[in-house]
């Protein structure tokens, strides 16, 4: 830690009402101070939270608390990376917002992000963690574990319950938080409840996030939640919104590898078409095993069309029966893989209806952007399956029209295709 000297001027921090629920739980008798470093690290600036009985000096007035969500513990020590020789080769720090950050999926994901596994060994990050009043203590526990893990690349952690504060300047937004479907809950009710959450988060992103923020929606029903979110964020490019179907793709690769008797790194070009539900279409027609078309390796057409497809569609439900809860670790792995998983349907070359969030084959450009794959083969089976999942997404879109600014909601949903534990 840098050697420091204290600035003698001080004042108590002035709080805005939106911060009170958080601060009343976490800093009941604390003040905030700014510590100016000694000459040898002139460019560094350290902001921290200290209790009056810990440091016997007055606290210095901080900046307007609206401008930055509440930092946590050691992550209030913010250094100028340009002034530290060992970090001069690092890239510019990026801001990553995570909602539902106290949940099991985030508990696996945050440590992957902080370790450098996702963005690289020279990419420092700031984590902005969004919770709720009910989860704020658990969120503090997550921040404590991140402290104890000593990740060099994790330079800042802030926690809060207001998306307008947490999403400030976010360059990536990983939206995990959503209400799970309970016993007896109607699908339309779940769409409306979670739709309200994602409409609000879309408005917050639109107001305060980076204009080129990349958004991955994980909370289910993720396709329609992503649609609601993007419709409420008109200043952010629609193609920047993604819904998570990468886990379905990974599951499909595993099943094909098992059937062919090969390791899963031999399976490529796997696509999931459509919705993250039991109408999704795992595409074996365009997939390859060890460079060969799947149908040349797995010659059991009935297995491909029936057992393989159903296993992928219902894998989440099967896991819940075994595990007693929905997947978390494998979901976090798939989020890491997910940049090229799913795109907004406008301008696609496949004849898919526009204005829905629909999983399609695409290739990453390696810079956060992507392009749709054009050399795709269709047969009657694949087209019929795609039409079914397309119809489901269009029905969901009509059901949430009141949240996307497209009129009055009309719920004419097809048969229930959601799995209670996952959707």
């Amino acid at each position: 830690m840098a050697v420091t000297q204290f600035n003698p001027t001080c004042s108590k921090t002035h709080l805005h009402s939106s911060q009170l629920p958080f601060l009343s739980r976490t800093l009941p008798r604390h003040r905030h101070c700014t510590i100016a470093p000694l000459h040898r690290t002139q460019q560094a600036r350290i902001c921290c939270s200290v209790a009056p009985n810990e440091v016997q000096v007055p606290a210095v007035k901080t900046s307007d608390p609206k401008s930055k969500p509440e930092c946590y513990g050691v992550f209030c020590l913010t250094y100028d990376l340009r002034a530290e020789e060992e970090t001069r080769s690092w890239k510019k720090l990026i801001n990553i917002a995570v909602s539902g950050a106290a949940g099991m999926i985030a508990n696996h994901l945050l440590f992957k992000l902080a370790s450098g596994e996702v963005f690289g060994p020279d990419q420092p990050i700031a984590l902005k963690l969004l919770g709720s009043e009910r989860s704020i203590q658990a969120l503090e526990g997550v921040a404590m574990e991140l402290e104890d893990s000593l990740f060099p690349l994790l330079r800042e952690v802030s926690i809060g319950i207001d998306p307008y504060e947490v999403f400030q300047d976010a360059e990536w937004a990983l939206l995990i938080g959503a209400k799970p479907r309970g016993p007896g809950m109607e699908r339309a009710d779940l769409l409306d409840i979670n739709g309200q959450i994602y409409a609000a988060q879309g408005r917050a992103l639109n107001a305060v996030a980076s204009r080129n923020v990349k958004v991955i929606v994980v909370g289910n029903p993720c396709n329609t939640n992503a649609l609601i979110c993007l419709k409420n964020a008109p200043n952010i490019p629609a193609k920047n919104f993604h819904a998570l179907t990468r886990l379905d793709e990974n599951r499909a690769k595993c099943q094909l590898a098992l059937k062919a008797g090969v390791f899963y790194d031999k399976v490529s070009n796997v696509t999931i078409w459509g919705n993250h539900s039991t109408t999704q279409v795992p595409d074996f027609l365009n997939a390859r095993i060890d460079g060969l078309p799947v149908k040349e390796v797995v010659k059991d057409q009935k297995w491909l069309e029936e057992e393989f497809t159903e296993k992928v569609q219902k894998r989440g439900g099967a896991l819940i029966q075994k595990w007693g809860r929905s997947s978390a670790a494998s979901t976090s792995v798939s989020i890491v893989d997910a940049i090229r998983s799913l795109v907004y349907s406008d301008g696609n070359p496949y004849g898919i209806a526009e204005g829905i969030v629909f999983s399609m084959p695409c290739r990453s450009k390696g810079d956060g952007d992507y392009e749709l794959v054009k050399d795709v083969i269709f047969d009657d089976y694949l087209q019929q399956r795609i039409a079914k999942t397309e119809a489901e997404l269009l029905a969901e879109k009509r059901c949430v029209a009141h949240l996307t600014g497209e009129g009055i909601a009309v719920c004419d949903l097809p048969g229930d295709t959601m799995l209670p534990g996952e959707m």
Side-chain angles (χ1 to χ4, degrees), residues 97-100 167 173-177 198 201-202 205 215-219 229:
V98 181
S99 77
F167 292 167
L174 310 178
L175 306 184
I176 301 172
Y198 281 87
Q201 292 185 0
L205 288 168
V215 183
I216 297 179
V217 176
V218 180
C229 194

Side-chain angles (χ1 to χ4, degrees), residues 122-134:
D122 59 350
Q123 179 60 74
I125 67 170
L127 286 176
K128 297 165 164 285
L129 309 182
L130 179 65
S132 63
E133 289 195 36
R134 189 174 66 175

Side-chain angles (χ1 to χ4, degrees), residues 36 66 94 104 158 170 192 196 255 284 311 344 372-373:
K66 283 182 66 177
I94 58 173
M104 289 299 297
S158 56
D192 184 66
Q196 300 284 352
Q255 294 304 314
F284 56 81
K311 274 190 174 181
Y344 191 49
L372 294 176
V373 177

Side-chain angles (χ1 to χ4, degrees), residues 7-291:
N7 186 323
T9 62
C10 72
S11 67
K12 292 184 179 180
T13 302
H14 298 284
L15 303 180
H16 290 256
S17 59
S18 64
Q19 289 187 302
L20 294 178
F22 164 67
L23 292 175
S24 65
R25 295 173 183 231
T26 59
L27 301 171
R29 294 181 299 277
H30 286 54
R31 296 182 182 180
H32 305 283
C33 69
T34 299
I35 308 173
L38 291 177
H39 178 72
R40 67 188 180 90
T41 54
Q42 287 279 339
Q43 296 182 354
R45 178 170 169 270
I46 305 178
C47 302
C48 64
S49 299
V50 294
N53 63 351
E54 293 178 51
V55 180
Q56 299 302 318
V57 295
V60 179
K61 183 177 180 180
T62 64
S63 58
D64 182 354
K66 283 182 66 177
S67 66
K68 187 177 180 181
E70 190 64 31
C71 62
Y72 189 88
V74 71
F75 300 110
C76 296
L77 310 179
T78 305
Y79 301 91
D80 184 345
L81 302 182
R82 293 171 299 178
E84 299 178 56
E85 185 169 350
E86 68 271 24
T87 66
R88 285 177 186 167
S89 63
W90 285 5
K91 298 175 183 176
K92 180 183 176 183
L93 180 140
I94 58 173
N95 295 308
I96 305 166
V98 181
S99 77
M104 289 299 297
I105 295 172
N107 194 254
H108 291 278
L109 175 65
L110 294 174
F111 295 85
K112 292 179 178 293
L113 295 170
S115 70
E117 177 182 339
V118 182
F119 292 99
D122 59 350
Q123 179 60 74
I125 67 170
L127 286 176
K128 297 165 164 285
L129 309 182
L130 179 65
S132 63
E133 289 195 36
R134 189 174 66 175
S135 69
I136 193 67
Q137 282 195 326
L139 201 57
E140 291 170 9
V142 172
M144 290 169 68
E145 282 210 271
L146 287 167
E147 278 189 309
D148 296 344
S149 298
L150 304 180
F151 292 115
L153 292 165
L154 182 57
R155 309 304 287 194
E156 297 178 20
V157 170
S158 56
I159 60 179
I161 62 175
D162 184 350
Y164 285 87
E165 293 183 353
V166 175
F167 292 167
Q168 185 75 43
D169 300 322
E171 293 154 278
W172 290 85
L174 310 178
L175 306 184
I176 301 172
K179 181 179 177 62
R181 190 183 189 192
M185 181 181 290
E186 293 293 331
R187 186 169 159 207
D189 293 337
L190 186 69
L191 284 166
D192 184 66
I193 291 168
N194 282 328
Q196 300 284 352
I197 294 171
Y198 281 87
Q201 292 185 0
R203 291 190 291 270
L205 288 168
N206 196 61
V208 300
S210 163
R211 295 302 81 186
N212 197 37
V213 61
K214 306 296 192 302
V215 183
I216 297 179
V217 176
V218 180
N220 285 314
C222 62
N223 295 65
T224 299
N225 286 342
L227 175 66
I228 293 167
C229 194
L230 75 86
K231 288 292 187 179
N232 283 275
N235 296 332
I236 298 170
K239 70 177 296 185
N240 287 17
F241 289 80
H242 306 259
L244 186 73
T245 55
R246 185 56 181 261
L247 179 55
D248 303 306
E249 177 185 330
N250 291 351
R251 289 167 171 170
K253 285 181 178 178
C254 178
Q255 294 304 314
L256 289 172
L258 285 170
K259 184 67 173 178
V262 300
F263 201 59
Y264 47 74
D265 63 349
K266 300 295 185 183
V267 182
S268 61
N269 292 16
V270 174
T271 296
I272 302 295
W273 294 88
N275 200 6
H276 175 62
S277 74
T278 57
T279 69
Q280 66 177 261
V281 187
D283 183 354
F284 56 81
L285 183 63
N286 291 282
R288 291 182 171 268
I289 297 175
D290 209 9

